[in-house]
Structure formats: C-alpha cells, structure tokens
Amino acid sequence: MPPTAAMRRPRPDLALEAGAGRVAGVDEAGRGPLAGPVVAGAVIFLCPPSPALAALIDDSKKLKEAQRAAAFAALRQAAREGVLEFGIGAASAAEIGTVNILRATHLAMARAVSRLRAPPDLALVDGNQPPRLPCPVRCVIGGDALSLSIAAASILAKVVRDRAMTRLDPRWPGYGFARHAGYPTAAHLAALERLGPSPHHRRGFRPVDQAAFRFA
C-alpha cells in the first residue's frame, strides 16, 4: 500500500531561509572519523531551484553514494548557472589535533563562509553550537533534514571529503581510507593496530593516541 502524503517524510525546503536576505546554509562532514580533515560547506540559493534540482537534495546521510554524486554534480552546475553560490572549507588532521574537533569544525565552517562572494545576511548552521562567523548565526538542530541550503551544504562537504580520503588511499596503503573514509570501522582499527597512525590520523582521538603510544 503506497504511503499517504501525511506518512511521507518531509523534504528540506527554503522555509527557514525565506525573507532573511542572503542566507547561507552551513554544514560539515567528518567530525567522527579517526583520520583526515573535517570539511564544511556553505550554500546560498540566489533564486529558487528547479523542482528537478530540489528533488536531488536531502540530508547527505540519507542519500546513497550515487545519489550524492548526482546531487553534487547538479549543485556545481547550478552554481555555474547562477542559481546558487557555495564555499568549501576544511581543517586538517593536524589542526584537529591542536585545537580539538569542535573548534576545528568551526574553523572549517568559517573558511567555507569566507569563500562566498560576500558575507551572508544570516547563516543557518546545522547543530546546536554556533561557530564564530562574520554574520548572524542561527543554529538548527537536524537542519540538514529541514533546510534546503543546509542539506546542499552537507552534500558538498560529504562528497569533497570522501574524494579527499580516496586520494589519500594509494599514498597510505593498508589503512583502507577509500573504503571507510577514516571512520572507526573494525578494519580501520585493525590497521591502526598493525601499522600505527599515519600523519593524517587525528591525535587526541583515543584509538589513534593508543596506537601512537604502542609504536613510540
């Protein structure tokens, strides 16, 4: 029996952005991994997207890899056509180890916003902890499932980060970065036990610090 409209999960839209000027949706990818950067995206819709584009955009965690890739390509094309603008920012594993993952995430978000053509009038940030940005900030818990611009930012950040980890894989063979993107899978933890940490592993994360101690 097909679901009724009331039973379907709502899709993100531009209701939170309405009437606030240039509103940037901001989200990150990669807070939980043991290795690699944390990456953030910032997206401003300059005009309403086409129904076809909007249908591709959702919380990146709810999309399969092929769906994220299709949405990523469509968002890039929309930016070329003037429908939206976006910025991408990152904080390295070394920065995460120096300032901690929360501050590094906020640093990546600030870098993403700084790559927009001009500061937004408002930033809608997924989560409940506001980064320091050159504009007013509104935190939105679960924002990647509510706001189209946050969801778009989540897709851009996730795809950029996953591709960065794939590029690291042949340079640091044995860890399986292309398979798990640095997340603490059983295979990744076993590789840490066997090989010790690489320069792209995050100090301050317990499994990494434990492996570093054993290989010291």
Side-chain angles (χ1 to χ4, degrees):
M1 179 177 178
T4 66
M7 294 168 60
R8 297 190 190 106
R9 181 176 63 82
R11 303 276 299 190
D13 57 29
L14 291 174
L16 294 176
E17 291 87 340
R22 280 170 45 85
V23 180
V26 182
D27 200 5
E28 53 74 28
R31 284 187 65 165
L34 303 178
V38 59
V39 177
V43 174
I44 298 175
F45 280 97
L46 305 175
C47 60
S50 68
L53 175 58
L56 294 174
I57 301 170
D58 202 351
D59 175 0
S60 63
K61 297 184 294 297
K62 295 182 171 70
L63 299 176
K64 297 179 181 178
E65 183 177 359
Q67 293 173 314
R68 287 195 298 269
F72 180 85
L75 289 166
R76 294 284 300 272
Q77 181 61 32
R80 289 189 286 269
E81 295 171 354
V83 174
L84 61 90
E85 62 178 279
F86 69 87
I88 301 292
S92 69
E95 289 175 314
I96 293 168
T98 299
V99 302
N100 77 40
I101 185 58
L102 176 60
R103 291 180 182 175
T105 298
H106 287 178
L107 181 59
M109 289 179 170
R111 288 170 175 168
V113 170
S114 75
R115 289 178 171 86
L116 297 169
R117 288 196 288 268
D121 299 313
L122 173 68
L124 299 175
V125 177
D126 186 48
N128 61 2
Q129 296 175 314
R132 183 175 296 177
L133 299 177
C135 64
V137 174
R138 177 183 172 190
C139 290
V140 183
I141 296 174
D144 43 10
L146 300 172
S147 159
L148 202 68
S149 58
I150 294 177
S154 79
I155 291 167
L156 293 174
K158 172 66 173 169
V159 173
V160 167
R161 186 181 187 280
D162 283 354
R163 291 180 179 180
M165 296 305 294
T166 297
R167 289 193 297 273
L168 279 181
D169 189 85
R171 294 169 55 192
W172 296 94
Y175 293 103
F177 288 146
R179 295 192 302 276
H180 53 62
Y183 283 88
T185 64
H188 188 188
L189 294 172
L192 266 177
E193 290 275 346
R194 186 175 69 255
L195 302 172
S198 75
H200 297 280
H201 280 91
R202 302 172 176 181
R203 298 304 173 96
F205 283 56
R206 182 175 294 177
V208 177
D209 290 346
Q210 289 175 338
F213 178 78
R214 287 193 297 273
F215 279 79

